[in-house]
Amino acid sequence: MPMLHAPRMLARPRPTRVSAFAPAWRRAAVLAPLLLALWHPAGASAACQPITLDGRSLTLEQVGAVARQGCGVVLADDATTRAQRAYDLLLAYAKLDRPVYGLNRGVGLNKDQTLFKGGDISPDVRKVSEQFNQNLLRSHSAAYGSEAPQDVTRAAMVIRLNSALFGGSGLQVAVLRQYAEFLNRGITPVMFGEGSVGQADITVLAQVGLAIMGEGEVYYGGRRMPAAEALEQAGLKPVRPFGKDALAIVSSNAYGAAIASLAALDAARLLDQADTVAALSLEGLDGNLAPLLAATQAQRPFDGQRHTAEHLLTMLRGSGLWQSDPKRALQDPLSFRTVSQAHGAARDMLGLLQRQLQVQINSSDDNPTVALDAQPAPDAQPYEVQFYVTGGPVRGAVLPSAGFDPSAWVLPLQSMSVALSQMAQLSAQRTLRLTDPAFTGLPRFLSPGNGAIGYGPIQKTVSSLAMDVRTLSLPVVTDVQPQAGNIEDVGTNAPATARRMAAQIDRLTTLLAVELMHAAQAVDLRQAQRPGLALGAGTAALWRDFRKQVPFMAEDRRNDVDIVRATAFLAPAAYPSGDAAMASSSMSSRSWPQNTSPR
C-alpha cells in the first residue's frame, strides 16, 4: 500500500528556553514538540525514505530514524494481510465458544468473567466488546511521573506497530493503520512514563490506545492539544477498539523496548567517543601502545577487546607515541592500560543487547498469542488440540502465553549498565591521573601567579559523575511486588532499567567531556614541552575540533561553562530532523576516523 501521509509542514512555535544544565532526558521532553514542529516534507525526505514495516525486519537504526528524524512508515502488503488473517483467526476461535483472555473473558482478577458466548458477532456482542475495550484502556491508564520524551513515544509506537504485523496480536487492521497515521502525520500521544513493572507496559501504553480513539492529549503541529482536536485537524476518525484490541495495545513491552533501543543506539555512539577520548588521554599521559598491539591482543582474542584496540590504534596512527621516549613509564595506570578490555567487554555486551532487542521488535510478545497456520501434531493430546482452529478458511492456534516477559533482553540491558559503570570508573581515574604531575610530568602552574591549569576543584565533579553512573547500574530487575491477586508475582522493571541506562549515558557523556577537557589541556602542555610532537590522525582531528569550542586554559576561568561546552561537543543534538539530521553535531559526522568494525 502507498505511504499514508508524510510529515507535513507545521507551524513554527515560539522559542522555549531550556537550561543547558538539564539532563538530556528532561531536555528532550521539552525540546521534542518544538523540533517535531519544524518538520517539512522536503526536509523529512532528505533525511530518510519511508520505512517499510513487515513485522520481520525492523532494525534499531530504523527505530531511531522514525523516532528522532521523523521518518514515515509504510505497511507492507503481505504483513497487512497477515495481520488481517490473525484477526480473523482470533474471531474464528472465539466463535467456537472457547475462552480467550481479553477477548470473550475479562483480564486480571476478572479473567474468569464471561463477556460473550460463542457464535456470530451480533450488534449487541460488538457493543459489549467495544465497551469492554474502552473500559480496559481507561482503567489501565495508570502511569505517573514525567512525560515520556517524544522520541521514546514514537519509538514505542513503531515497535508496537511492527510487532503486531508479525501476526501474533490479532489487532484490527484499522488500529494498525491508525498507528501509522499518527507516525506519518506527527501526532504523538502524551504519555506519562513511569508505572510499568516490565511484564508488558500496560499502564503506559494504554495512553496510546486512548489517543487513537480520540481521548487524552497529544502533540500535533507544535502544540499540546486534546487528541480529539488533533484527529479532527488531521482529518482522521477515532478508532473504536474491538475484540482483543485493547489488550493487544497494552500487553506489550514496546515502551521499555523503545527506551532500550534508543539507549543502545546512543551507547554505540558513546563507545566510539569513549575510545577516542581515551586515545587522546593516552597522548596527554605520554603512555604506552604495547597493550594495544596486534601481537598483544592475539594472546586474548575477545572480539570486543580486539575491535576496541584496532579502533584506538586507528585514532593514534601517526602519533608521537610510536616514537621511543626514555622518559616514558614502563607501565601505565590500569585506567589507561585496560581500555581495550573494559570498552571491549562493553561492546560485547552491547552486541548481545542489540541482538536480543532485534528479536523483541520483530516478534510477538502478546498474551494470548495468535499462531497463524500452526497445526497440532498427529499425536497431540486433547489439552493441546483445544487451542487450535482446524477447519475453515483460516487455521492456526490461539495460545495463552508468557511472551510478555522480556528477561531475554532486560538481563543484557542490566549487564550493559554495569559495563557503562566500569567505563565511567576508567574515565574518572584517567582524568584524575592527568591532574597529577607525578604521572604526567607536566607543570602544575602556568606562571608564577596562581593560575591553576589542572582543573583542580573539578575532581569533585569527576567523583560525583562516576558515582552517579555507578549507582544507576545497581540492579532493579527483581524489585517487583505481587499484583493482580498474586497472579502477577514477578517482573523485570524493564522500562526503569532502560531509563537508568539512558541516564547513565547522559552522565557518562559529561564525564567523558570532562576527561576530554583534561586530555586536551595535557596535550597542549606536552606540545609546549616538545614542539612538533605529533598527534594521531584521529586524535588530532578531535583536538582541533574541540579547541574550537573549548580553548586552552591559560588562566583561571569558570569550569562549569567549559563542562557545558564540552558536553555539548560530545552529545548529539536531540531529535535531528530533515536537513538538521544531516548537520547533526554527533561524533559520527565529525572528521576523525570511526570504529567501523562489526560488533
Side-chain angles (χ1 to χ4, degrees):
M1 63 178 285
M3 179 178 176
L4 301 178
H5 283 88
R8 65 176 192 172
M9 182 176 290
L10 302 172
R12 187 177 297 273
R14 289 182 183 176
T16 296
R17 298 183 65 84
V18 184
S19 170
F21 294 94
W25 178 268
R26 187 76 64 181
R27 293 198 305 269
V30 176
L31 292 173
L34 308 182
L35 290 162
L36 289 171
L38 299 180
W39 285 343
H40 54 88
S45 61
C48 62
Q49 296 298 315
I51 292 167
T52 300
L53 302 180
D54 59 9
R56 298 288 194 273
S57 60
L58 181 65
T59 67
L60 299 183
E61 289 75 16
Q62 289 173 330
V63 170
V66 172
R68 291 173 167 170
Q69 298 177 27
C71 295
V73 298
V74 175
L75 307 186
D77 289 339
D78 58 343
T80 305
T81 300
R82 183 166 57 244
Q84 181 64 52
R85 293 180 64 233
Y87 173 75
D88 293 341
L89 174 60
L90 183 69
L91 295 188
Y93 186 82
K95 189 175 182 179
L96 299 175
D97 202 25
R98 295 173 185 169
V100 182
Y101 184 80
L103 175 63
N104 54 21
R105 298 294 188 273
V107 298
L109 288 172
N110 295 322
K111 61 186 178 298
D112 298 322
Q113 177 183 343
T114 299
L115 301 176
F116 59 85
K117 296 288 188 179
D120 292 331
I121 303 297
S122 68
D124 288 342
V125 167
R126 187 172 190 95
K127 183 177 180 181
V128 168
S129 178
E130 288 180 350
Q131 187 63 56
F132 167 75
N133 275 261
Q134 291 177 19
N135 291 345
L136 189 153
L137 289 172
R138 290 166 180 161
S139 65
H140 283 64
S141 184
Y144 68 95
S146 302
E147 288 181 22
Q150 289 194 49
D151 64 338
V152 172
T153 302
R154 286 180 60 83
M157 292 177 69
V158 73
I159 288 172
R160 185 56 189 132
L161 175 55
N162 188 70
S163 64
L165 291 169
F166 178 85
S169 69
L171 275 162
Q172 289 186 90
V173 171
V175 173
L176 305 183
R177 288 184 171 142
Q178 190 83 322
Y179 270 77
E181 291 284 9
F182 270 44
L183 290 169
N184 290 340
R185 295 171 184 254
I187 303 174
T188 307
V190 174
M191 289 198 325
F192 296 114
E194 298 172 72
S196 170
V197 300
Q199 294 291 100
D201 304 317
I202 62 175
T203 59
V204 178
L205 294 176
Q207 298 165 93
V208 176
L210 291 174
I212 68 173
M213 67 181 196
E215 296 188 13
E217 292 185 304
V218 300
Y219 287 107
Y220 179 57
R223 295 195 301 115
R224 180 172 174 160
M225 66 179 68
E229 181 181 341
L231 290 175
E232 184 177 359
Q233 288 188 19
L236 299 175
K237 294 184 179 299
V239 171
R240 300 177 68 87
F242 165 75
K244 196 173 74 71
D245 288 348
L247 180 62
I249 289 169
V250 304
S251 186
S252 162
N253 290 283
Y255 172 62
I259 307 172
S261 296
L262 296 178
L265 291 171
D266 293 338
R269 164 191 58 83
L270 189 71
L271 276 166
D272 281 350
Q273 290 180 328
D275 286 353
T276 310
V277 171
L280 189 66
S281 289
L282 190 66
E283 290 181 309
L285 181 72
D286 190 26
N288 290 278
L289 298 176
L292 303 174
L293 299 178
T296 311
Q297 292 291 319
Q299 301 299 306
R300 198 167 174 79
F302 291 113
D303 286 343
Q305 176 181 320
R306 177 172 52 83
H307 292 157
T308 301
E310 291 172 355
H311 186 208
L312 288 163
L313 291 177
T314 299
M315 297 297 104
L316 294 167
R317 186 177 298 129
S319 170
L321 295 182
W322 292 98
Q323 306 299 320
S324 297
D325 182 356
K327 297 181 180 179
R328 186 175 296 151
L330 179 62
Q331 296 274 311
D332 297 331
L334 292 180
S335 54
F336 291 84
R337 263 192 286 163
T338 64
V339 169
S340 67
Q341 284 78 12
H343 292 196
R347 276 196 167 82
D348 289 336
M349 192 52 59
L350 179 60
L352 174 60
L353 174 61
Q354 291 169 329
R355 291 191 297 274
Q356 299 299 77
L357 284 171
Q358 195 73 28
V359 175
Q360 168 67 32
I361 66 179
N362 289 288
S363 61
S364 171
D365 55 0
D366 290 89
N367 172 47
T369 190
V370 180
L372 273 172
D373 302 321
Q375 298 181 10
D379 59 347
Q381 299 298 309
Y383 170 80
E384 182 180 354
V385 172
Q386 70 176 317
F387 299 114
Y388 287 82
V389 175
T390 56
V394 183
R395 303 183 182 188
V398 178
L399 302 152
S401 164
F404 49 76
D405 187 295
S407 296
W409 56 266
V410 175
L411 294 178
L413 182 72
Q414 182 68 75
S415 297
M416 186 64 201
S417 287
V418 175
L420 292 175
S421 177
Q422 187 179 23
M423 289 174 57
Q425 174 73 351
L426 264 67
S427 177
Q429 294 302 328
R430 287 194 302 268
T431 303
L432 296 176
R433 298 296 83 74
L434 289 175
T435 67
D436 188 345
F439 282 100
T440 63
L442 296 173
R444 182 175 302 182
F445 297 103
L446 180 68
S447 67
N450 291 325
I453 54 83
Y455 292 101
I458 213 172
Q459 293 179 352
K460 297 173 178 60
T461 305
V462 169
S463 179
S464 178
L465 285 166
M467 180 275 295
D468 280 350
V469 178
R470 182 173 64 255
T471 55
L472 287 166
S473 74
L474 298 178
V476 296
V477 293
T478 57
D479 191 10
V480 175
Q481 305 302 315
Q483 306 137 52
N486 290 323
I487 296 299
E488 299 173 10
D489 54 353
V490 299
T492 65
N493 284 320
T497 302
R499 282 197 304 270
R500 289 161 72 90
M501 178 175 157
Q504 282 184 294
I505 291 171
D506 183 54
R507 303 295 197 283
L508 185 49
T509 299
T510 302
L511 182 57
L512 287 170
V514 174
E515 180 185 352
L516 180 54
M517 290 161 54
H518 286 71
Q521 190 77 2
V523 163
D524 286 335
L525 294 172
R526 196 164 298 284
Q527 288 183 327
Q529 287 181 337
R530 299 165 58 186
L533 181 66
L535 297 179
T539 52
L542 168 64
W543 174 80
R544 284 194 303 270
D545 287 348
F546 181 68
R547 278 297 179 230
K548 295 174 185 177
Q549 304 300 321
V550 180
F552 173 72
M553 179 178 276
E555 58 184 11
D556 285 336
R557 63 173 183 252
R558 291 183 57 169
N559 289 335
D560 53 359
V561 173
D562 282 2
I563 293 172
V564 170
R565 290 174 176 168
T567 302
F569 175 80
L570 289 182
Y575 297 94
S577 63
D579 296 334
M582 309 303 292
S584 169
S585 62
S586 65
M587 177 165 270
S588 61
S589 68
R590 296 191 187 280
S591 57
W592 53 85
Q594 294 299 299
N595 185 1
T596 56
S597 302
R599 296 187 181 90

